[in-house]
Amino acid sequence: MAWFSFLKRKINTTEEPQMKKFLIVGLGNVGLEYENTRHNIGFSIVDALASKYEVSFQPTRFGAMAQIKIKGRLLMLLKPDTFMNLSGKAVMHWVKAQKIVPEHLLILTDDLHLPFGSIRLRTKGSHAGHNGLKSIEQELNSSAYNRLRFGIGAPFNPNHQVDFVLGTWSEEEASQLPERLGQCVALTEAFALQGVQRTMNQFNGN
C-alpha cells in the first residue's frame, strides 16, 4: 500500500490541525568517520537549520530529531541512525507516527550527477542508484516524494566512486560550503512557508 493511501485511510480529515507539520529528513551515515563527508550533506543541511534556530538534536526512534517553528509551521528535522541503506525505515516510521501528508515531506540528499553546490528541488524522480533514496522509495512504495538534491559531482575515477562519495570536501569546496548551506536553509524555509512549486521556481538553477 502506498504511503499516501495509508494516510488517507488513517487521518480524520474533519480534524483541523493546530499547526502544519513538516518532516525534513537529512540523509547520511552516523559515526565520526562519516562526518563532513560528501554523502552526509543531508545531515549538514539539517544541522545548519538547527543552528540558525538555536535548537539541538535529541535521540529518538530511528535517529535524532530537532524541532523548529516558523510562522505556524512545525518542522521536524530528522537525522536517521539507520545508515544510508535503510533510511526508508526511519522515514516511514515518522511519516506514520506524525501523520505527515506527502506534500509536507522533504528529503535532503547528495547527488553525484550534479556539479558541486547545485541544488535541485523535485517532487518525484528516480533514485538513480542512490541507496538512501532507493530505501525510501521501497518503504513508501512510491517515488513521488519531495527531495532536495545537493550536487557533489566532480571529475573522479569511476573505479573510485565510493571513495569519492565517502570522502571529505576539498579545500575549495569547503570554502564555498557555508554559502551553499545557507541557500539550502532558505529553500527549506520557503518549502514550508510557500509550498513546493513556488520554491522550485525560486531556487532551482541556483
Side-chain angles (χ1 to χ4, degrees):
M1 178 184 296
W3 65 303
F4 44 82
S5 299
F6 171 88
L7 287 168
K8 184 176 181 181
R9 183 165 56 88
K10 289 291 185 180
I11 295 177
N12 179 0
T13 56
T14 63
E15 181 180 347
E16 188 68 26
Q18 295 297 315
M19 182 174 289
K20 291 183 179 181
K21 293 187 293 186
F22 294 78
L23 180 62
I24 312 298
V25 185
L27 299 188
N29 289 309
V30 294
L32 292 176
E33 66 269 35
Y34 297 108
E35 286 188 4
N36 299 316
T37 60
R38 297 181 177 92
H39 214 28
N40 269 33
I41 188 62
F43 278 14
S44 298
I45 297 171
V46 289
D47 280 340
L49 270 161
S51 177
K52 177 177 179 177
Y53 289 89
E54 299 182 337
V55 297
S56 58
F57 284 87
Q58 303 297 328
T60 190
R61 184 77 184 273
F62 292 120
M65 182 175 285
Q67 297 187 0
I68 61 178
K69 295 179 181 179
I70 308 174
K71 297 181 180 179
R73 277 76 164 170
L74 175 64
L75 276 62
M76 292 173 285
L77 314 178
L78 177 66
K79 295 195 289 187
D81 64 3
T82 54
F83 287 94
M84 189 68 78
N85 292 6
L86 296 176
S87 299
K89 291 187 177 296
V91 172
M92 190 58 169
H93 170 80
W94 286 103
V95 161
K96 288 183 175 181
Q98 294 295 328
K99 299 181 175 64
I100 303 297
V101 297
E103 57 267 30
H104 289 180
L105 172 66
L106 178 61
I107 306 298
L108 313 174
T109 183
D110 61 298
D111 193 313
L112 186 63
H113 306 291
L114 291 176
F116 168 77
S118 298
I119 55 178
R120 298 289 185 275
L121 179 61
R122 294 285 185 265
T123 58
K124 59 183 178 180
S126 166
H127 56 69
H130 190 289
N131 288 330
L133 298 184
K134 185 185 300 184
S135 174
I136 293 168
E137 182 175 325
Q138 290 172 345
E139 291 289 335
L140 298 181
N141 194 25
S142 174
S143 61
Y145 58 87
N146 304 310
R147 76 285 306 271
L148 167 59
R149 301 183 296 148
F150 186 101
I152 64 168
F156 63 93
N157 188 326
N159 296 323
H160 295 88
Q161 177 173 320
V162 173
D163 293 336
F164 177 79
V165 170
L166 296 180
T168 55
W169 304 103
S170 69
E171 184 174 336
E172 182 180 359
E173 290 169 339
S175 68
Q176 299 175 38
L177 199 56
E179 186 274 333
R180 302 316 297 159
L181 287 174
Q183 281 288 307
C184 293
V185 166
L187 183 151
T188 305
E189 293 169 327
F191 169 79
L193 292 173
Q194 64 188 29
V196 66
Q197 292 298 330
R198 289 180 61 187
T199 303
M200 288 170 63
N201 293 337
Q202 180 180 350
F203 286 89
N204 280 353
N206 289 350

